[in-house]
């Protein structure tokens, strides 16, 4: 299969263009079409000679994800289901900034992207892992989610606005750290001034706690933000809902987080879904506060989003508030997220699972 055009490095492209006898400026011109003007096909690169477009088409695939379904509207959380070249489905979620909450302009958006088809980590509460893991996403499939969204939203941009997405969170389907190399290459393109040009501080990686990869990321120069899906403050509770905790128990995970914080001098976030009767009790508040203080981390409490077929529930509002107040009283920086998109299966993996099961009602797709 031909390499994808959206995964070549500028050096690789430059070398290829040089070999074809193209002038030096062509490389920037092509990158400009791909990432700044964000074309949906080679034909749209109208100031590139037709012969060159032909050559590019013969040497590379132009393969952006195809939009299979969109849920939600322009000013709410919107969920995209993509069909990839091999027929696999993945999701991205576009979330508008809440001006009342963050004081940001309301035209700012955060995009949540997927990194794998399915997930091998099998957290008990999560839809993404329910049918297991299928494959890693390729570099262009990660970058492609952002580009395809921008293309889809082009008509909605207001005067002077050149793009929809300002923030990126790697919190969609899959475990980003288990697709480390492809993700890093994709983020290089997303972050680069010649690429999508989203600042490293506007990119957050979320992980269920793969300690070795956290250490690896700590030793690299990138300034991405890190979020840890904690969901349990003791090994006993965490291992019950997140099998990964048996491999990297809390002391190991926290050591890796400490390396990250030390290397980057940045605050990390603990994501903590509140699940009724599982991790929302008083017994978790003290240990959670201790970890947060040790790491200077902030805690983001998220009421559990119901997943069809799973028995877990979100606690009532009073329990959520009690948990939050418990942390605040211990001096922890904590917020309780009234998450958006509750009504459109916004938690990762849910829409894909639903459609997969409609398409393959007999069982799991191969
Ligand atoms: N695999 C990575 C990133 C994807 S999951 C990770 O686990 O961090 C992104 C976030 O969505 C995680 O914090 C995950 O725990 C959370 N999540 C999964 N299912 C959820 C649900 N039903 N309700 C609320 N959050 C959920
Ligand atoms: Fe995978 Fe993250 Fe879901 Fe766990 S929470 S199953 S690691 S996607």
């Amino acid at each position: 299969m031909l390499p994808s055009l959206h995964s070549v490095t500028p050096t690789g492209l430059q070398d290829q263009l040089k070999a074809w006898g193209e002038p030096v400026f062509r490389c920037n011109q092509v990158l400009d079409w791909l990432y700044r003007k964000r074309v949906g096909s080679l034909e749209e690169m109208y100031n590139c000679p037709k012969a060159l477009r032909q050559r590019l088409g013969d040497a590379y695939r132009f393969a952006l994800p195809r939009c299979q379904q969109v849920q939600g509207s322009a000013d709410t959380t919107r969920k995209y289901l993509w069909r990839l070249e091999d027929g696999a489905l993945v999701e991205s979620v576009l979330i508008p900034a809440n001006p009342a909450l963050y004081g940001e302009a309301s035209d700012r958006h955060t995009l949540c992207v997927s990194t794998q088809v399915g997930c091998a980590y099998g957290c008990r509460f999560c839809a993404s892992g329910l049918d297991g893991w299928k494959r890693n996403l390729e570099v262009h499939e990660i970058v492609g989610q952002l580009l395809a969204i921008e293309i889809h939203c082009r008509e909605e941009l207001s005067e002077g606005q050149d793009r929809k997405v300002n923030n990126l969170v790697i919190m969609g389907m899959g475990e980003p750290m288990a697709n480390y190399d492809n993700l890093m290459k994709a983020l290089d393109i997303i972050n680069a001034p010649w690429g999508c040009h989203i600042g490293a501080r506007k990119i957050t990686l979320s992980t269920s706690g793969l300690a070795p990869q956290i250490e690896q990321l700590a030793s690299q120069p990138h300034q991405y933000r890190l979020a840890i899906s904690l969901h349990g403050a003791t090994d006993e509770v965490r291992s019950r809902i997140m099998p990964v905790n048996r491999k990297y128990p809390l002391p190991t995970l926290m050591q890796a987080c400490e390396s990250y914080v030390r290397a980057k001098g940045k605050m990390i976030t603990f994501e903590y879904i509140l699940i009724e009767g599982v991790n929302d009790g008083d017994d978790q508040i003290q240990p959670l506060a201790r970890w947060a203080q040790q790491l200077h981390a902030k805690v983001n409490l998220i009421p559990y989003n119901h997943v069809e077929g799973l028995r877990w529930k979100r606690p009532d509002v009073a329990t959520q508030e009690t948990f939050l107040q418990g942390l605040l009283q211990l001096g922890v920086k904590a917020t309780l997220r009234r998450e958006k998109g509750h009504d459109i299966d916004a938690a990762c993996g849910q829409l894909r699972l639903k459609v997969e099961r409609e398409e393959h009602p007999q069982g799991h797709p191969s």
Side-chain angles (χ1 to χ4, degrees):
M1 221 204 281
L2 299 174
S4 157
L5 189 54
H6 293 97
S7 58
V8 259
T9 61
T11 327
L13 184 62
Q14 181 78 70
D15 290 349
Q16 181 62 83
L17 291 167
K18 210 161 136 195
W20 290 337
E22 289 291 337
V24 173
F25 71 85
R26 269 305 172 230
C27 182
N28 284 341
Q29 197 178 45
V30 172
L31 294 173
D32 196 55
W33 279 115
L34 293 181
Y35 301 113
R36 227 171 51 82
K37 301 201 183 80
R38 299 178 289 255
V39 283
S41 69
L42 286 172
E43 289 66 51
E44 290 170 50
M45 297 164 52
Y46 61 79
N47 66 355
C48 281
K50 197 156 184 243
L52 173 60
R53 279 183 264 156
Q54 194 113 39
R55 262 188 155 160
L56 285 168
D58 289 341
Y60 300 101
R61 270 147 65 228
F62 193 106
L64 292 177
R66 276 187 299 121
C67 187
Q68 174 83 15
Q69 202 175 311
V70 187
Q71 285 185 344
S73 61
D75 47 1
T76 61
T77 293
R78 210 186 297 167
K79 190 159 201 164
Y80 290 82
L81 185 69
W82 307 111
R83 177 80 66 187
L84 305 177
E85 288 163 285
D86 63 348
L89 293 167
V90 288
E91 304 171 13
S92 314
V93 186
L94 186 64
I95 309 151
N98 183 338
L101 201 62
Y102 303 110
E104 288 182 281
S106 55
D107 59 1
R108 297 195 167 257
H109 285 75
T110 295
L111 180 67
C112 173
V113 297
S114 295
T115 51
Q116 299 184 310
V117 183
C119 184
Y121 286 82
C123 302
R124 303 276 181 256
F125 48 79
C126 177
S128 292
L130 277 185
D131 280 350
W133 175 86
K134 235 183 178 178
R135 66 173 177 88
N136 281 334
L137 292 191
E138 302 290 333
V139 175
H140 71 280
E141 292 171 328
I142 300 172
V143 178
Q145 294 171 61
L146 172 58
L147 293 173
I149 292 267
E150 291 290 1
I151 292 170
H152 187 267
C153 296
R154 197 179 280 155
E155 306 296 303
E156 295 170 9
L157 294 180
S158 43
E159 190 77 17
Q161 203 187 5
D162 70 338
R163 64 180 181 194
K164 191 85 172 175
V165 177
N166 316 88
N167 289 290
L168 197 73
V169 293
I170 320 296
M171 294 188 183
M173 192 191 308
E175 170 48 56
M177 296 293 192
N179 187 13
Y180 190 90
D181 292 345
N182 286 349
L183 176 63
M184 288 306 136
K185 284 183 200 154
L187 290 182
D188 281 345
I189 296 174
I190 288 170
N191 181 221
W194 54 261
C196 306
H197 209 181
I198 295 187
R201 288 171 186 79
K202 307 241 169 213
I203 298 175
T204 303
L205 272 78
S206 175
T207 176
S208 60
L210 271 59
Q213 284 90 331
I214 296 172
E215 297 274 8
Q216 194 177 347
L217 192 65
S219 69
Q220 290 176 351
H222 313 287
Q223 291 294 321
Y224 305 131
R225 293 186 179 279
L226 184 66
I228 306 292
S229 291
L230 203 60
H231 313 327
T234 56
D235 279 327
E236 196 255 322
V237 168
R238 194 166 193 262
S239 293
R240 215 186 302 150
I241 49 178
M242 300 181 73
V244 68
N245 195 65
R246 290 188 210 121
K247 192 154 184 204
Y248 306 115
L250 284 165
T252 312
L253 171 58
M254 292 302 162
Q255 209 168 5
C257 291
E258 217 162 306
S259 302
Y260 195 86
V261 174
R262 210 175 320 117
K264 312 287 175 194
K266 262 210 214 91
M267 191 178 245
I268 60 171
T269 306
F270 290 152
E271 305 279 335
Y272 196 101
I273 311 177
L274 288 166
I275 311 175
E276 187 184 78
V278 174
N279 65 359
D280 62 344
D282 288 351
D283 60 310
Q284 293 297 296
I285 296 176
Q286 279 270 355
L288 179 54
R290 230 175 293 129
W291 288 126
Q293 268 144 356
Q294 188 181 320
L295 272 299
H296 303 289
K298 90 173 181 227
V299 177
N300 199 1
L301 299 174
I302 309 150
Y304 181 66
N305 217 347
H306 178 70
V307 176
E308 220 175 281
L310 294 183
R311 60 196 159 94
W312 316 98
K313 280 204 269 204
R314 66 167 53 179
D316 57 32
V317 175
T319 310
Q320 297 172 23
E321 279 299 332
T322 307
F323 202 92
L324 172 68
Q325 291 308 324
L327 290 175
L328 294 174
Q329 272 159 23
L330 292 170
V332 175
K333 257 192 159 184
T335 52
L336 174 63
R337 191 155 88 199
R338 292 245 125 264
E339 97 281 33
K340 301 171 187 194
H342 184 47
D343 50 337
I344 59 156
D345 308 319
C348 59
Q350 294 193 54
L351 179 60
R352 175 237 177 195
L353 193 71
K354 201 189 284 178
V355 174
E356 284 275 20
R357 285 183 174 176
E358 277 162 17
E359 289 179 358
H360 306 272
Q362 301 311 314
H364 302 172
S366 56

